[in-house]
Amino acid sequence: MPADGHPTTILYPAAARRIRSGRLWSVVHTWSSLVATAFLLVLCLTGLPLIFAHEIEELSGTHAAPQPVAPGTQPASLDRIVAAGHAHLPGHAVQFVFWDDDQPGVVLLSIGATPTSDYTKNRTVRVDAHRAAILDEINAQSGVLPFILRLHTELLLGLKGKIFLGVMGACFVLAIASGIALYGPSMRRLKFGEVRHHRVAIVRWLDLHNLVGIVIGCWMLVVGSTGVLNAFADLTIKYWQYDQLADMLGKEAGRPRPETLSSVQQTADAAQALATGMKPSFIAFPGSIFSSASHYAVFMKGASPLTSRLLKPVVCDAATGRVVDSRAMPWYVTALLVSQPLHFGDYGGLPLKIIWALLTLLTIFVLGSGLVLWSGRILRARRLRDGGRR
């Protein structure tokens, strides 16, 4: 008898390898699933309202709309818009100017306590793009949706929570991959989608678990892997600063912040002249996480829906507004940018969001049925052990 106690090892070597491989995948699937299931349930439940975050905000009616203007009216200068933000929050510093395609006629200012303060604690001010008048302020630190977002992305634990959820997401991806590897051998004697209703409940649960899991397996892989990329977004940006931004700045990297900043509008125009066919996505001010102490970074994006998620940074001198350097984002940042809308289904309008929500509900079923199967295995093992003792 071979060492593993299975006669197939001698008689059928290929079958023995399949048995060992199946056992390995079963162990991987079981434990990677168990480790992550509780946290994945939290992510699914919090992810559902976040899919419809924009629609929920619109229904709440809390944001003021900009005044209508005649077609062709030119927007106000960015310098006036930034000045309005400083007047609204005296003693604070604008760190970012950005545009949201879902809010036409509005420019958003992300304002921090200082030019270098933690951007996650910034206050977001909405400004009428044509009148340079303050519309209102988005409270990103309190409220139900911001709380759900922090719970979904960091478990309210900051960077440590993001890294932890990234590891849990990797376990989820491993569980899906191992489940797909197990599906074929486990169902080779059954028709696809067959549920054995005549068998005991635990077998029916197994068939349903396998069926739903294999049907949405590819989608779960996409959402799980993009979730892992998003979890490590902060570290990715830090590496980009070290790898690419420092190289773009060259000898100018260590310069101090100038006492007087150049015109924001002229800086944006210089970036626009360089990146023809693109439009600004956001402007990072000197001292913020996406720039240096002495430079603006204007992030241009494609004008079409297909290229609107792809950014090209244009680094400009903060004292003169001249363009210092520009280059395409590296592959790892591009992967991050593409993964963000894909994770929430935020690139195909409301119909795709509804599909994403339905698939999330099915994922909750897969996770819950997995727990049912595990608990059934524990109960069976306990009954066998107790029976052996008698």
Side-chain angles (χ1 to χ4, degrees), residues 183-194:
Y183 181 79
S186 67
M187 301 293 288
R188 61 181 178 271
R189 296 181 180 177
L190 300 174
K191 296 179 181 179
F192 179 79
E194 182 178 351

Side-chain angles (χ1 to χ4, degrees), residues 61-202:
T62 55
H63 296 321
Q67 290 186 0
V69 295
T73 303
Q74 293 299 310
S77 165
L78 290 176
D79 297 298
R80 286 180 55 200
I81 290 174
V82 171
H86 285 141
H88 179 69
L89 294 174
H92 289 65
V94 173
Q95 290 190 0
F96 302 100
V97 176
F98 59 102
W99 292 261
D100 183 353
D101 291 337
D102 291 328
Q103 300 186 56
V106 175
V107 178
L108 298 106
L109 304 178
S110 181
I111 304 177
T114 68
T116 59
S117 60
D118 182 2
Y119 74 96
T120 62
K121 295 181 172 58
N122 284 2
R123 297 165 67 175
T124 302
V125 177
R126 301 173 69 251
V127 186
D128 189 310
H130 294 91
R131 297 187 301 117
I134 301 296
L135 294 173
D136 50 38
E137 189 172 328
I138 300 174
N139 192 343
Q141 303 302 321
S142 62
V144 176
L145 280 179
F147 174 81
I148 292 175
L149 179 61
R150 292 197 303 273
L151 185 61
H152 184 83
T153 57
E154 61 185 45
L155 292 178
L156 310 179
L157 297 175
L159 181 59
K160 293 180 181 178
K162 292 179 181 180
I163 294 174
F164 177 78
L165 287 179
V167 175
M168 293 300 101
C171 289
F172 181 48
V173 171
L174 186 59
I176 299 165
S178 57
I180 293 173
L182 286 169
Y183 181 79
S186 67
M187 301 293 288
R188 61 181 178 271
R189 296 181 180 177
L190 300 174
K191 296 179 181 179
F192 179 79
E194 182 178 351
V195 178
R196 290 167 286 184
H197 294 286
H198 60 284
R199 300 288 299 275
V200 295
I202 197 67

Side-chain angles (χ1 to χ4, degrees), residues 245 248-249 295-298 313-317 322-326:
L245 183 60
M248 294 171 71
L249 296 174
H295 295 83
Y296 288 105
V298 184
V314 180
V315 177
C316 301
D317 188 290
R322 65 179 175 85
V323 173
V324 174
D325 196 1
S326 178

Side-chain angles (χ1 to χ4, degrees), residues 255-267:
R255 287 169 43 195
R257 180 185 174 92
E259 293 185 4
T260 302
L261 299 181
S262 65
S263 164
V264 183
Q265 185 63 58
Q266 291 179 7
T267 301

